[in-house]
């Protein structure tokens, strides 16, 4: 494998008619890393993932996925990749065991019956093996889907919003499992909307309208944004937010419980804008910009560029 | 960022109407919504419009249960002038169309088995002599009666036609007394179905009709369902090749098709006493080609349909002309030329002839070949289109 990169692609591009869904995206993920893939709805995350696993043919681009040519060797890549779709996409009219058995057959899993049995036991679904997959609750469906796309022991897992609609406890367990697997050398590319999940990733890639805007660790991405954020406590913060937003130096003024977070890209200009309000009863404090502030910042900057 | 919620300063709701038992505004909102949804579902809308048009054209113009111009062959053993008169009369009739004269009995038999002629007129050697002696010569009219409804009118027309022609010919002293018996003794021999039982025609035909409907529908549904539920994406992300997916999906449907064939054959034999003269193995082989043709259409439809309902609608859309233009419901030769051309494209038309040919006439491969290859060509073309379109849906 080249330099231990599980994913190393450059210039990946896909167009649907006049729409460029993915526009020259470069991405490099080391083996054993968990890469969070962030971006608003419709930004091209799913399309990019589909190109990686050979479901869609890239129009431009080159590079390797698990050391195989990402364009030409898509059939080989499929064999070593696990792809978990955004929507539950296993057969609801097959039982849990039948679904696992089918997937195991498709990937030529050795000692298939044992692999299925062990997966069922690990999942804690051995007793419900004959239950139809369609009858499972959301959290169980997600666990089944993850187990099914790992039954052939892939080296790379592409998970498209795997925790949408899953309760917090199940989500935490899910992420613990991901970290355990990553420690064993598995690589993950996980599309998500949740900032707390993004912060659990080793590295992040932020994509917007098909273009990669930032890439790196959480600290790297936050640093690249060069955003200054102040937190303020006091009465009637909503009115304050409305007044602050009129100032061009203020990019965001967002309520966080009893606090208001005010951020802007230009630290000096922001301070000037806030100066008139540095009076009691308001209590100001400079804070580190959060990931969410950074993403809103990227999005509004891109909106500004396009309009 | 602008707020998406309305400002809460003043109520923007007509409270007076909220508790009404029937509100015209609410009712109208639903009407508008339904129209919008109807407009969005273009395919259903098109079907709703084209279905009555198609039925109008089919029933109004194409279908005629009194077929004319039925192809007729002649075995002429007597070359006298009165025999010529008969030939001439045949040429001028609107029910029978004289297509050829056969030299030998075998030649004539083969033509009627293949269905190239539907009537066969035997004019015996002694025809002119017997006629002139007033001995009422016997003329044999052999009829392919596999579809008794299609030939009934033509048989009675032939009787009148041939006798009138002779009466016109024999004037003066040779004239027959107008009130007496007919000058010739026309003996009608209904081949393959001597009692003229409609079920001999309908029951074998049902095999093709049932297969047409179910094979297209089941394939269309099977593939559309995978797409509708999102499982297709999962399937394609696995290392399965399109050919493996398609063939794998089709095999159980072929088996199902054979179960249907078995049921109908069983019922035809046990309940309806339909004769089975020909080879069942040949029938099952021809059936495979026919089933494949419809599975291929099903695949093509499934690449066009957005959901399972549309797949069913498309299956029905193909089924309607199949059942009407194939000769199942209405005699094929009763349709105008253009409708026959459409009918000749449809696999069901050819399959009906094959099934009736094998079961009732005992036809072999040589006799059914001219009906089998059009189905094979149709299947091949539909399969190429279906697979091409299927591959395109992946991207």
């Amino acid at each position: 494998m080249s330099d231990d990169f599980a994913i190393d692609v450059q210039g990946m591009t896909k167009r649907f008619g006049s729409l460029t869904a993915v526009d020259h995206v470069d991405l490099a993920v080391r083996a054993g890393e968990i890469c969070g893939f962030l971006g608003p709805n419709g930004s091209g995350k799913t399309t990019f993932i589909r190109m990686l696993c050979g479901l869609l043919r890239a129009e431009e681009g080159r590079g390797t996925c698990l050391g195989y040519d990402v364009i030409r060797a898509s059939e080989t890549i499929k064999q070593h990749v696990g792809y978990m779709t955004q929507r539950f996409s296993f057969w609801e009219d097959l039982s849990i065991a039948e679904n696992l058995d089918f997937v195991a057959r498709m990937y030529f899993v050795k000692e298939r019956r044992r692999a299925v049995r062990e997966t069922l036991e690990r999942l804690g679904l051995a007793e419900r093996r004959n239950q139809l997959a369609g009858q499972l609750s959301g959290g169980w469906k997600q666990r089944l889907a993850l187990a099914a796309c790992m039954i052939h022991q892939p080296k790379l897992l592409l998970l498209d919003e795997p925790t949408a609609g899953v309760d917090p406890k199940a989500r935490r367990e899910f992420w613990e499992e991901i970290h355990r697997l990553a420690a064993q050398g598995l690589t993950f590319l996980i599309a998500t909307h949740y900032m707390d999940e993004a912060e659990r990733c080793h590295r992040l890639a932020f994509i917007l309208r098909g273009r990669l805007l930032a890439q790196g660790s959480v600290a790297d991405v936050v640093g690249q944004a060069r955003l200054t954020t102040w937190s303020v406590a006091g009465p009637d913060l909503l009115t304050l937010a409305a007044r602050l937003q009129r100032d061009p130096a203020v990019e965001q003024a967002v309520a966080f419980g009893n606090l208001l977070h005010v951020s802007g890209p230009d630290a000096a200009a922001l301070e000037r804008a806030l100066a008139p309000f540095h009076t009691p009863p308001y209590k100001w404090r400079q804070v580190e910009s959060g990931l969410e502030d950074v993403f809103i910042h990227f999005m509004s900057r891109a909106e500004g560029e396009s309009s | 960022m602008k707020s998406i919620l309305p400002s809460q300063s003043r109520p923007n709701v007509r409270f007076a109407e909220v508790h009404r038992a029937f509100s015209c505004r609410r009712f109208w909102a639903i009407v508008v919504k339904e129209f919008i949804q109807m407009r969005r579902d273009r395919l259903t809308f098109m079907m709703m419009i084209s279905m009555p048009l198609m039925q109008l054209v089919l029933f109004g113009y194409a279908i005629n249960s009194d077929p004319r111009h039925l192809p007729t062959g002649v075995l002429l053993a007597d070359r006298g002038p009165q025999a010529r008169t008969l030939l001439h009369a045949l040429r001028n009739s609107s029910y029978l169309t004289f297509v050829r004269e056969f030299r030998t009995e075998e030649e004539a038999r083969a033509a009627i088995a293949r269905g190239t002629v539907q009537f066969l007129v035997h004019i015996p050697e002694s025809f002119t002599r017997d006629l002139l002696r007033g001995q009422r010569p016997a003329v044999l009219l052999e009829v392919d009666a596999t579809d008794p409804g299609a030939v009934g009118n033509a048989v009675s027309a032939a009787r009148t036609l041939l006798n009138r022609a002779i009466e016109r010919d024999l004037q003066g002293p040779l004239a027959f007394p107008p009130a007496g018996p007919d000058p010739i003794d026309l003996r009608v021999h209904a081949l393959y179905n001597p009692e003229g039982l409609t079920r001999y025609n309908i029951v074998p035909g049902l095999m093709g009709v049932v297969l047409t409907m179910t094979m297209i529908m089941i394939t269309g549904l099977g593939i559309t369902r995978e797409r509708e539920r999102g499982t297709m994406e999962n399937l394609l992300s696995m290392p399965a090749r399109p050919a493996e997916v398609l063939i794998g999906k089709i095999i159980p449907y072929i088996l199902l098709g054979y179960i249907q064939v078995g049921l109908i054959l069983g019922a035809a034999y046990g309940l309806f006493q339909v004769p089975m003269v020909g080879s069942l193995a040949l029938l099952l082989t021809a059936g495979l080609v026919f089933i494949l043709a419809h599975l291929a259409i099903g695949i093509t439809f499934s690449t066009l349909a957005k959901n399972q309902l549309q797949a069913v609608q498309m299956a029905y859309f193909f089924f309607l002309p199949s059942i009407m233009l194939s000769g199942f419901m209405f005699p094929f030769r009763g349709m105008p030329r253009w409708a026959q051309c459409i009918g000749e494209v449809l696999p069901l038309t050819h399959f009906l002839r094959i099934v009736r040919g094998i079961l009732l006439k005992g036809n072999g491969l040589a006799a059914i070949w001219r009906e089998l290859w059009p189905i094979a060509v149709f299947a091949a073309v539909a399969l190429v289109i279906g697979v091409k379109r299927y591959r395109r849906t992946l991207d």
Side-chain angles (χ1 to χ4, degrees), chain B residues 313-327:
Chain B
Q313 286 174 330
M314 284 179 170
Y316 188 65
F317 203 68
F318 185 83
F319 181 64
L320 195 66
S322 281
I323 195 170
M324 293 196 181
L325 299 182
S326 63

Side-chain angles (χ1 to χ4, degrees), chain B residues 225-337:
Chain B
R225 183 169 55 223
E226 296 257 14
R227 273 219 314 278
E228 204 176 319
R229 295 189 182 165
T231 50
M232 191 52 110
E233 188 184 1
N234 194 343
L235 195 57
L236 295 173
S237 74
M238 297 180 195
R241 306 293 157 100
E244 291 160 358
V245 176
L246 275 186
I247 299 171
K249 287 191 85 76
I250 274 178
I251 292 290
Y253 302 153
I254 294 181
L255 200 70
L256 201 69
Y258 270 127
I259 292 176
Q260 293 184 325
V261 170
L263 279 176
I264 293 174
L265 278 179
Y269 185 76
L271 298 177
F272 299 103
Q273 282 86 38
V274 174
M276 296 190 185
V277 190
S279 148
L280 279 186
L282 183 62
L283 180 62
L284 295 182
T285 313
L288 182 64
V289 181
F290 182 70
I291 289 172
L292 281 178
H294 286 93
L295 294 180
I297 303 173
I299 294 172
T300 310
F301 283 178
S302 75
T303 62
L304 295 168
K306 285 196 212 71
N307 52 48
Q308 296 185 59
L309 178 67
Q310 287 191 347
V312 173
Q313 286 174 330
M314 284 179 170
Y316 188 65
F317 203 68
F318 185 83
F319 181 64
L320 195 66
S322 281
I323 195 170
M324 293 196 181
L325 299 182
S326 63
F328 175 73
M329 262 191 180
F330 309 99
F332 188 79
R333 291 195 167 110
M335 300 189 303
R337 192 88 203 107

Side-chain angles (χ1 to χ4, degrees), chain A residues 50 78 83 87 89 91 106, chain B residues 226 228 233-234 236 239-240:
Chain A
R50 285 181 179 172
K78 276 185 188 177
Y83 171 43
R87 204 173 120 194
S89 64
W91 288 267
M106 289 300 276
Chain B
E226 296 257 14
E228 204 176 319
E233 188 184 1
N234 194 343
L236 295 173

